[in-house]
Amino acid sequence: MDIDEIIAVWESLRNGELKRLPEDFYETIQTMIEEREKKKAYADDDEYYRLEDEIRTLKRIRKDVFEARVNRILRMAWMSMCGCRVDEDSMIEAEKDLYRKIVDLLEKFKFKIFGKKREEKILVRIKKDVPEFEGVDGRVYRLRREDVVLLPKLNAKALVEGGIAEKIEYKR
């Protein structure tokens, strides 16, 4: 990934969309910053100021991308709690982990406030479109092929056994 591609990712944030990033996006930016820091030691004045500008730009982009994506992940976690379908495909693995932990914390908080028995949920990937249905949790699910969703254990088990979904293992 070069600096122009990184700037393109940064500019795409303006529409609020969470686009797929390379898994090493943040590491790539850090490497680029470190490379420019090393080059500054041997640079003439013009080159030095150009490198300083690039370093500032890369740091600003990293911060802006991080903040925008975390904000979007927080909104997606809330949408999931409200029963909406959420697509995790655009998240890198670290973001998926963050998203799942936030959903888990929200579920625990909801239990603390409302006292309902916390039902076990299973993460599944949908292999075929599923007609709209009401889950045992009372939520209405509209699932499409390739969706990744946390479902009540009973619903997830039925879909997996029917060959409509596959269970995804993850650490909480």
Side-chain angles (χ1 to χ4, degrees):
M1 205 171 206
D2 64 18
I3 197 161
D4 292 330
E5 292 170 312
I6 289 172
I7 290 170
V9 167
W10 182 42
E11 290 173 344
S12 75
L13 293 173
R14 292 188 181 133
N15 65 14
E17 202 174 315
L18 194 64
K19 294 188 177 187
R20 181 81 177 137
L21 292 180
E23 282 294 327
D24 64 346
F25 179 78
Y26 295 107
E27 291 85 359
T28 299
I29 291 178
Q30 185 59 37
T31 300
M32 293 173 87
I33 290 170
E34 290 169 2
E35 288 170 353
R36 281 153 180 77
E37 288 288 353
K38 288 177 187 173
K39 287 180 182 178
K40 282 185 349 185
Y42 306 102
D44 61 27
D45 285 347
D46 290 340
E47 179 73 1
Y48 181 89
Y49 291 116
R50 185 188 64 76
L51 290 167
E52 271 293 306
D53 186 51
E54 284 184 12
I55 291 168
R56 268 193 312 279
T57 300
L58 286 165
K59 286 180 177 180
R60 186 174 66 243
I61 289 171
R62 179 178 56 189
K63 180 180 178 284
D64 290 352
V65 169
F66 172 81
E67 289 175 354
R69 291 182 71 85
V70 168
N71 186 303
R72 183 69 178 135
I73 290 166
L74 290 169
R75 285 185 285 155
M76 291 170 79
W78 180 249
M79 288 169 44
S80 175
M81 286 299 299
C82 295
C84 296
R85 185 171 52 98
V86 173
D87 179 12
E88 294 183 36
D89 288 344
S90 58
M91 297 180 208
I92 61 175
E93 285 305 314
E95 293 169 338
K96 288 177 185 179
D97 186 50
L98 174 64
Y99 166 77
R100 292 171 186 152
K101 287 177 179 176
I102 292 168
V103 169
D104 189 51
L105 284 171
L106 289 171
E107 287 177 349
K108 288 176 183 174
F109 181 69
K110 182 178 177 182
F111 171 73
K112 185 176 181 179
I113 298 300
F114 295 105
K116 282 186 170 180
K117 184 177 181 244
R118 187 168 172 249
E119 62 204 38
E120 186 180 346
K121 293 200 173 186
I122 296 176
L123 185 66
V124 296
R125 180 181 318 279
I126 305 301
K127 299 193 304 190
K128 302 176 188 174
D129 287 355
V130 178
E132 183 177 299
F133 69 93
E134 184 174 339
V136 295
D137 58 357
R139 292 183 179 166
V140 175
Y141 292 92
R142 296 170 191 89
L143 304 175
R144 302 290 174 253
R145 184 175 178 269
E146 295 302 317
D147 284 350
V148 175
V149 63
L150 276 170
L151 290 174
K153 183 178 181 177
L154 185 65
N155 296 117
K157 187 177 176 185
L159 292 174
V160 169
E161 288 175 358
I164 296 170
E166 63 183 350
K167 184 176 179 180
I168 298 175
E169 299 293 335
Y170 70 97
K171 295 179 186 175
R172 281 192 174 208

